[in-house]
Amino acid sequence: MVDYEAAKQAVKALLEAIGEDVNREGLKDTPDRVARMYAELTAGEGEDAGKHLQVTFRSDSDGLVLEKDITFYSTCEHHLMPFMGKAHIAYLPSGKVVGLSKLARTVETYARRLQIQEQLTSQIADAIDLYLEPRGVMVVMEAEHTCMSARGIKKAGSKTLTYACRGEFKDSAQLRSDVFALIKE
């Protein structure tokens, strides 16, 4: 839970530390806006993503399920700057499936935390593996990190790709290749 007053004071102190006049018109309400922004950006902290994956449906389908191009926004825990991109989730059902929007909600829950992309990818894969008990799951994430594109090396447009595999995806290069091919379509 965000302590708004403490967050506002911290933002005010930061602005003063970088030489800004916190009383000028454009900055008067900035501490409040930034405190509310961080509350929104970290709203997934402490939230159980499993709540989105607990309602499943019986299914005899054993074919690949792929939900791709799930847009996400997260915040780098190293620089407190945004990174954003697309998540792609593939799984092989073993008797049950979940509503497709629940996969996107799972991504959102984990993305709304101070994160690193590698951890985010694994957390999503682990949650799907735990709650759906599929024969396999693969999560692929591609993102642009503003901590790299807007500062530091300043390489706008570069993307980081991470993936996590569980079950049959971990053991089968062909399955992984199939998922990558479908993502590109």
Side-chain angles (χ1 to χ4, degrees):
M1 197 71 185
V2 173
D3 179 341
Y4 285 100
E5 199 52 45
K8 286 167 44 176
Q9 291 307 313
V11 172
K12 183 177 178 184
L14 174 64
L15 290 170
E16 290 171 338
I18 63 172
E20 286 290 345
D21 174 6
V22 295
N23 295 312
R24 74 175 168 88
E25 184 179 346
L27 291 179
K28 282 182 187 174
D29 295 325
T30 297
D32 181 61
R33 284 191 295 267
V34 172
R36 285 184 285 118
M37 175 195 70
Y38 275 105
E40 180 182 340
L41 294 178
T42 60
E45 192 60 52
E47 185 180 330
D48 179 13
K51 72 181 182 181
H52 304 300
L53 299 170
Q54 289 177 351
V55 177
T56 60
F57 305 98
R58 182 95 190 110
S59 174
D60 293 330
S61 171
D62 62 355
L64 175 75
V65 175
L66 172 64
E67 181 73 14
K68 68 180 198 173
D69 296 329
I70 303 167
T71 302
F72 74 91
Y73 300 88
S74 194
T75 305
C76 167
E77 66 184 25
H78 299 146
H79 298 99
L80 299 182
M81 292 186 73
F83 65 96
M84 68 285 295
K86 303 280 184 184
H88 316 282
I89 300 172
Y91 71 97
L92 296 167
S94 63
K96 58 184 171 180
V97 295
V98 68
L100 297 176
S101 70
K102 303 309 183 193
L103 296 174
R105 290 181 192 281
T106 301
V107 170
E108 185 76 6
T109 297
Y110 287 115
R112 292 293 179 185
R113 299 175 180 186
L114 297 180
Q115 275 288 14
I116 60 172
Q117 184 176 332
E118 299 88 342
Q119 177 177 282
L120 176 58
T121 307
S122 290
Q123 288 172 332
I124 295 165
D126 289 342
I128 293 166
D129 195 43
L130 175 67
Y131 288 97
L132 298 186
E133 301 172 322
R135 295 188 335 271
V137 62
M138 181 171 172
V139 175
V140 179
M141 303 193 83
E142 51 187 302
E144 182 170 348
H145 293 249
T146 60
C147 55
M148 189 173 127
S149 61
R151 57 155 302 279
I153 191 78
K154 296 183 184 97
K155 295 299 177 195
S158 27
K159 293 191 177 168
T160 301
L161 182 83
T162 53
Y163 70 97
C165 298
R166 308 291 183 264
E168 291 182 25
F169 286 102
K170 193 170 189 171
D171 301 327
S172 173
Q174 183 60 55
L175 273 174
R176 292 189 303 273
S177 179
D178 290 348
V179 169
F180 282 120
L182 288 168
I183 289 170
K184 287 182 182 178
E185 286 184 2

